């Protein structure tokens, strides 16, 4: 895809990977719009980077997606790229059934239903553009589940398959479909995890990960798997049981809590 003169909407752009994508795309000469739930955090980004446009919007809520569409299209009719980046990741002991039925579903609502709904809402508009792109941010975990984050793992595998089918169905259109599958990347997403949970996994710096991603978009690499994400894909095919065991190691400590 071309890397300049786009109008790009990034969900969850007030922190981590989304914010880094926003900064690097801005530097390349694009109009960048970000969303997030926390208005204070969005305001901080606006103060630091006045050229970035901000909209408070929850990717997990249907009404927010509809009003985001109305507001963004009205103010930025040139919008031609959407990046489904917003996501949460939780450690979850499935023996602990105290979480209510709405809460247990949050990762699905944000990480999986969010992108599916956003695409449905914006696709007719994207099809009116000469060039358009949808970029879904999944994870290397789409290839092998991380057993202490069961629902998160399910959302990323689901988003991976959804993205593949979306690409096939849009093959005769002007809308390119990219998938960014980050490896462990140094952001606040890791705060819920201990160093023990992530033992043996190398965390990539966010600016480096996003540089690789943007280079990939520019080269029209449709599935971008930086660093250990590519290793996970290969090992999951050669030695699926081995890698599943490796990724399941932190679960013993988690299960000990229920004893
Ligand atoms: N970091 C990693 O190791 C890693 C690896 C693989 C994939 N990923 C994926 O990369 C994406 C970004 O993660 P990150 O590491 O950058 O996380 P992060 O540092 O925690 O940032 C998450 C961003 O998403 C926003 N967000 C969360 N829930 C939202 C919602 N319901 N609606 C709108 N915005 C929401 C947050 O702002 P608010 O809280 O204010 O809403 C924040 O701006 C996620 O999809 C994640 O699964 C990350």
């Amino acid at each position: 895809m071309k890397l300049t003169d786009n109008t790009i909407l990034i969900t969850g752009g007030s922190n981590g990977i989304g914010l880094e994508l926003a900064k690097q795309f801005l530097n390349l000469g694009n109009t960048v719009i970000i969303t997030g739930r926390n208005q204070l955090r969005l305001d901080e980004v606006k103060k630091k980077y006045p050229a970035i446009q901000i909209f408070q919007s929850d990717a997990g809520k249907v009404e927010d997606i509809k009003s985001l569409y109305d507001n963004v299209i009205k103010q930025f009719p040139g919008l031609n790229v959407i990046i489904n980046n917003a996501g949460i990741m939780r450690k979850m002991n499935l023996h602990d059934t105290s979480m209510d039925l709405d809460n247990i579903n949050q990762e699905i609502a944000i990480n999986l239903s969010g992108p599916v709904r956003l695409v449905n809402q914006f696709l007719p508009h994207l099809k009116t553009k000469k060039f358009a792109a949808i970029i879904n941010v999944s994870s290397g975990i789409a290839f092998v589940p991380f057993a202490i984050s069961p629902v998160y793992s399910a959302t990323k595998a689901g988003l991976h398959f959804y993205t593949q089918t979306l690409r096939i169905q849009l093959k005769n259109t002007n809308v390119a479909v990219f998938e960014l599958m980050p490896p462990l990347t140094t952001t606040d997403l890791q705060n819920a995890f201990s160093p023990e949970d992530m033992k043996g996994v190398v965390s990539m710096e966010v600016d480096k990960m996003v540089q690789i991603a943007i280079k990939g978009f520019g080269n029209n690499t449709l599935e971008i798997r930086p660093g250990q994400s590519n290793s996970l894909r290969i090992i999951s095919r050669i030695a699926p049981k081995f890698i599943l065991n490796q990724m399941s190691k932190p679960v013993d400590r988690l299960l000990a809590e229920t004893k």
Side-chain angles (χ1 to χ4, degrees):
M1 65 177 264
K2 67 182 173 93
L3 295 177
T4 54
D5 291 328
N6 299 294
T7 302
I8 305 173
L9 171 66
I10 306 172
T11 66
S14 57
N15 206 19
I17 293 170
L19 179 57
E20 190 61 36
L21 282 165
K23 291 190 304 196
Q24 293 196 23
F25 270 126
L26 191 70
N27 287 341
L28 287 167
N30 297 283
T31 299
V32 177
I33 305 151
I34 63 164
T35 72
R37 293 165 301 180
N38 184 331
Q39 184 66 48
L40 289 177
R41 212 185 232 178
L42 289 166
D43 291 341
E44 275 170 29
V45 174
K46 185 77 189 163
K47 213 167 139 192
K48 219 164 158 193
Y49 308 98
I52 295 180
Q53 309 297 326
I54 57 169
F55 284 91
Q56 186 182 35
S57 179
D58 187 333
K61 293 190 176 152
V62 169
E63 285 316 311
D64 282 24
I65 291 172
K66 285 184 186 162
S67 58
L68 178 70
Y69 173 78
D70 291 341
N71 292 326
V72 167
I73 296 305
K74 205 182 294 163
Q75 293 179 47
F76 302 95
L79 180 86
N80 67 325
V81 178
I82 59 171
I83 305 185
N84 278 302
N85 166 77
I88 59 165
M89 179 177 190
R90 298 183 295 182
K91 197 149 93 169
M92 211 180 267
N93 182 338
L94 297 175
H95 292 273
D96 175 7
T97 52
S98 62
M99 224 184 243
D100 69 46
L101 296 182
D102 189 42
N103 193 359
I104 193 129
N105 210 41
Q106 275 306 297
E107 278 142 310
I108 298 175
I110 298 168
N111 305 1
L112 182 57
S113 298
V116 171
R117 287 170 171 155
L118 200 83
V119 167
N120 193 64
Q121 186 69 55
F122 281 82
L123 187 57
H125 171 84
L126 294 178
K127 281 186 183 168
T128 66
K129 299 294 156 197
K130 194 162 168 243
F131 163 76
I134 295 167
I135 299 172
N136 290 338
V137 181
S138 63
S139 169
I141 282 176
F143 297 120
V144 190
F146 188 43
I148 57 172
S149 290
V151 181
Y152 179 85
S153 300
T155 65
K156 293 302 179 179
L159 185 58
H160 177 53
F161 274 25
Y162 170 73
T163 307
Q164 289 185 322
T165 56
L166 180 69
R167 184 178 300 127
I168 292 166
Q169 292 209 15
L170 298 187
K171 65 183 174 187
N172 296 324
T173 73
N174 57 317
V175 187
V177 178
F178 292 88
E179 181 175 4
L180 170 60
M181 310 182 82
L184 184 67
T185 305
T186 308
T187 71
D188 289 344
L189 197 80
Q190 293 175 23
N191 291 352
F193 299 85
S194 69
E196 276 291 298
D197 293 335
M198 302 298 185
K199 209 172 163 185
V201 189
V202 180
S203 189
M204 193 180 268
E205 290 305 315
V206 69
D207 54 344
K208 186 178 168 204
M209 204 287 292
V210 169
Q211 274 164 18
I212 294 170
I214 290 184
K215 194 171 170 212
F217 303 143
N219 291 336
N220 287 317
T221 306
L222 297 179
E223 196 175 287
I224 300 158
R225 303 179 292 265
Q228 289 195 329
S229 287
N230 203 40
S231 315
L232 275 181
R233 178 174 177 268
I234 295 165
I235 303 170
S236 70
R237 279 157 172 73
I238 302 171
K241 274 192 187 160
F242 165 78
I243 193 66
L244 184 61
N245 283 339
Q246 291 297 112
M247 297 286 280
S248 302
K249 280 188 173 164
V251 117
D252 290 337
R253 265 195 331 280
L254 189 73
L255 292 183
E257 291 167 13
T258 50
K259 283 181 187 148

